[in-house]
Each structure stands twice: as structure tokens, then as C-alpha cells.
Amino acid sequence: MGQALIGQELSEIQTRVEELGQPAYRAKQIYRAIYRDLEADLSGIKVLPAVLRDQLADRFSINAVRVTDRFESIDGTVRYLLGLEDDKTVEAVFIPEETRDTLCISSQVGCPVDCKFCLTALMGIERNLTAGEIVDQTLTLCREHGLDPRKRQLNIVMMGMGEPLLNLENVKKAVALMSDPNGVGIPLRRITISTSGIIPKIKDFAEWEGRPKLAISLNASTEESRTLLMPINAKHTLEQLIETCEAYPLRSWERLTFEYVLLDGVNDSDADARRVVRLLTNIRAKVNLIALNPGPGIPYSAPSPERVESFQNIVKRSMYCFVRRPRGQDIYAACGQLKRTLEAA
């Protein structure tokens, strides 16, 4: 397989084209074919002369990932196992809804953060994904399901494998390609990056002019509880995280999203809910509650629906608070379940 063109910006493709002695405008045709028309094969870019298609095919490919397996849930969610050029694999998930679709994509092979309630953490970290490997998850799933973000709302959440802010440069390039109106065309408001709370990187993210939305994995209401569940809290403490979020430069239309995974008897009490409200009182925030999605090797269980409702009722008196309905649990596609599992539950 030749070098993948996906992940390259227009200027980079233009350099490749000019090296072949072709006029610069050919780069725009290639860029549009890859990112807007979702072309998967260089031979299919019919607007190019046959000689150029052959020249490109000798040196390049389009794709950076390939579908190696797929698992479909009873609720319509589809989990994809995607192969990379070095034979490592990552996962991405298609989540259909009535008025929109959501793609959950990965930023790393595995994850270094070691959250104690997450199956991905059991893998450890293997490597960062390239910008092309990140973008191609989106394009591959768009082709698989006939998705067009110009005709129907498409949300991208970088909540799959990995800690996106520890691969920030590649994430930035991928987001720029996905949000380019001349490319994939997904508005920045429809793209969300999730972090476990890497404070220096949150500050870098805040200064990024073309940044999408940010979601913070909170998951606890005290330092002790958060360190137990998320060992990274020993380095980037809850107090420091909240201070950083209070200083975060929100745009007029924006709220910071806080994700909170509810674990039975661990972080789901009414007292926890009241502490969450106090923590976030000076932040324009919304809270997404997620009852734990269970998996082998995870030593926690999900709270009862009544406990989730009680927690939500307390928080929503003070700020927007939603319960995220689990999708794809039966195929290990739900939040916190991605671990390259080769079978359905």
C-alpha cells in the first residue's frame, strides 16, 4: 500500500501533484473527491485524466484504515474493528438516532490514563493515531452508512479509545479536515473532544482558534474518590481541574460538558450530586450522567434507575443535566466498553 492521502491538507496534496508535473488545480479535485465525495479508490476520481490516476495509484492510496470486523446491536448501533497499516486495530461506533447520527471515534491505540471503570484502560497504550487514521474513521463509517453531513446532522465525539489531548497535534489536524466546509463539512459545534482532565493540554486546547467543543470526564465529587477511579487525579487534581475550567474561555453559544459515570455505591449518592453542583457552580456547564456500562474485569456495577434519577434531579435544579441512554451494550459498543473485543456479548 502506498502512502495514504487521507489526512493530508490541500497544500500537502498540491505538493504531491506538482511533484508529478501536474497543475495545482488538480489538488483541489483530489481533495474534494477524498473528503467531500468520500471516494475510496483513486481510480474512481473520474475528473482526473487516466494518466494521473495511474501515477497516483503507483505512489499513494486513499485510506488509512480498513474494516476488519463489525458488530450490530439490537438497537441499531454498530461497532467497527478497524485495521491500520501496521496491523494494529482500533474501534469506532455508529450510533443512529431519529433526527441525527453520531460517530464515536478513537484518537489512540489503547489509552494511557487507566480509569478503573473503563475496558479500554485494560489495554494500556500502544501508540497515537495519525491525523489520517482519525479522519478516516469518520469517512469509512460515512461510506458504510451513506451519511452526508450536509443533508442530515452528524455529530462526531472523540470519546472512543484514547485520551485525545495527549495526541493534540494530530487531533487538531483531523478536526480541521473534518470541519472544513470544502472538505467533510462537519461544523465545529457538532464535534466534541473528551478529556480525562490533562490540565496543561486543556489550556492549549483553549487557545486553539479552530477548536470544537470540549467535554471533561469528572466522575467523582471529591479528590479521594476521583483519585481512586482516575489515578491521573493524583497529578491533575480535581481542585486544579475546576480552576482551569472556571477560566476556560467559553464562546457565547457554548457550555462545558462534564461527563459523570455513575458507579453503584461509589460516586452516586445524593451527597455526591450536591457536591457536583457546588464544584460546577461558577461554570456555564451541562452534565451528562452515564450509568456504568459493565464489562469483564471491571470491579463496579451500575446503580439502579431510581438512584440515577435521584442524582439527576438534584443536579438539574442548578444546571442542565441529562442521562445518556446506553447504546450498543450488547456488542460492547457503549461508553467505556471499547477494547477491541472480537465477539458480541
Side-chain angles (χ1 to χ4, degrees):
M1 181 187 293
Q3 180 186 4
L5 289 175
I6 201 162
Q8 296 192 28
E9 297 170 334
L10 178 60
S11 60
E12 294 173 295
I13 296 175
Q14 185 171 319
T15 299
R16 307 286 90 79
V17 166
E18 290 175 343
E19 287 171 350
L20 296 175
Q22 295 289 331
Y25 73 85
R26 292 296 187 194
K28 291 184 179 180
Q29 295 174 322
I30 296 168
Y31 184 90
R32 179 186 175 102
I34 292 173
Y35 295 113
R36 185 162 182 162
D37 300 337
L38 305 181
E39 183 56 64
D41 191 331
L42 287 164
S43 64
I45 309 178
K46 301 302 184 183
V47 70
L48 301 178
V51 172
L52 177 55
R53 294 201 301 269
D54 291 342
Q55 287 178 312
L56 290 170
D58 286 342
R59 295 166 174 80
F60 305 105
S61 63
I62 288 182
N63 298 109
V65 307
R66 64 188 184 279
V67 175
T68 63
D69 220 330
R70 70 195 298 273
F71 305 91
E72 187 162 354
S73 168
I74 56 174
D75 65 20
T77 299
V78 184
R79 175 170 64 90
Y80 286 89
L81 189 66
L82 301 172
L84 311 175
E85 190 172 4
D86 60 1
D87 292 328
K88 295 185 184 299
T89 56
V90 293
E91 292 188 330
V93 181
F94 165 68
I95 307 167
E97 299 178 73
E98 283 188 17
T99 60
R100 63 187 180 186
D101 300 303
T102 297
L103 304 182
C104 180
I105 64 176
S106 297
S107 57
Q108 296 178 306
V109 183
C111 184
V113 179
D114 196 28
C115 298
K116 299 305 180 182
F117 50 84
C118 180
L119 276 175
T120 310
L122 300 178
M123 295 173 55
I125 181 66
E126 296 183 25
R127 69 169 173 84
N128 285 336
L129 295 182
T130 66
E133 290 167 337
I134 295 171
V135 173
D136 203 13
Q137 294 173 70
T138 294
L139 300 192
T140 297
L141 269 60
C142 281
R143 280 194 295 270
E144 288 282 321
H145 296 278
L147 308 179
D148 184 345
R150 291 172 177 78
K151 296 180 179 178
R152 175 177 161 90
Q153 181 177 323
L154 179 64
N155 294 335
I156 304 296
V157 292
M158 218 168 286
M159 298 178 183
M161 291 180 170
E163 165 53 70
L165 296 196
L166 292 179
N167 187 18
L168 188 53
E169 290 310 306
N170 285 321
V171 166
K172 282 183 175 182
K173 188 175 184 182
V175 168
L177 290 166
M178 288 190 287
S179 62
D180 181 3
N182 296 313
V184 187
I186 301 170
L188 286 171
R189 294 187 186 203
R190 304 295 182 202
I191 303 174
T192 301
I193 306 296
S194 179
T195 179
S196 60
I198 315 293
I199 290 171
K201 295 295 185 179
I202 293 174
K203 294 176 180 177
D204 292 345
F205 189 93
E207 295 173 358
W208 172 16
E209 185 177 347
R211 62 179 163 89
K213 296 191 296 185
L214 183 64
I216 310 288
S217 292
L218 185 60
N219 303 322
S221 66
T222 68
E223 297 284 2
E224 296 75 16
S225 179
R226 195 165 193 270
T227 300
L228 173 69
L229 298 174
M230 302 177 70
I232 197 168
N233 193 70
K235 182 176 182 180
H236 302 291
T237 68
L238 180 57
E239 180 182 9
Q240 294 168 333
L241 178 62
I242 295 302
E243 289 175 355
T244 301
C245 291
E246 287 176 343
Y248 189 82
L250 289 166
R251 292 159 287 197
S252 61
W253 49 267
E254 190 174 18
R255 293 178 184 273
L256 265 181
T257 297
F258 289 86
E259 309 281 354
Y260 197 100
V261 177
L262 291 162
L263 311 173
D264 185 37
V266 177
N267 66 352
D268 63 340
S269 69
D270 287 354
D272 283 301
R274 288 189 289 269
R275 284 192 291 265
V276 166
V277 170
R278 288 197 294 271
L279 283 170
L280 305 184
T281 189
N282 294 323
I283 302 170
R284 194 162 76 238
K286 73 171 183 177
V287 178
N288 283 338
L289 301 178
I290 308 157
L292 175 72
N293 295 303
I298 301 301
Y300 301 105
S301 58
S304 67
E306 293 76 21
R307 180 91 300 275
V308 174
E309 183 180 10
S310 179
F311 196 104
Q312 181 192 25
N313 286 338
I314 292 170
V315 176
K316 75 179 184 182
R317 293 185 199 127
S318 301
M319 62 195 67
Y320 291 110
C321 183
F322 305 94
V323 176
R324 197 193 298 174
R325 184 165 58 95
R327 299 292 301 273
Q329 274 190 340
D330 56 317
I331 56 165
Y332 292 118
C335 183
Q337 287 190 315
L338 300 187
K339 190 177 171 285
R340 301 189 300 195
T341 308
L342 296 179
E343 65 277 334

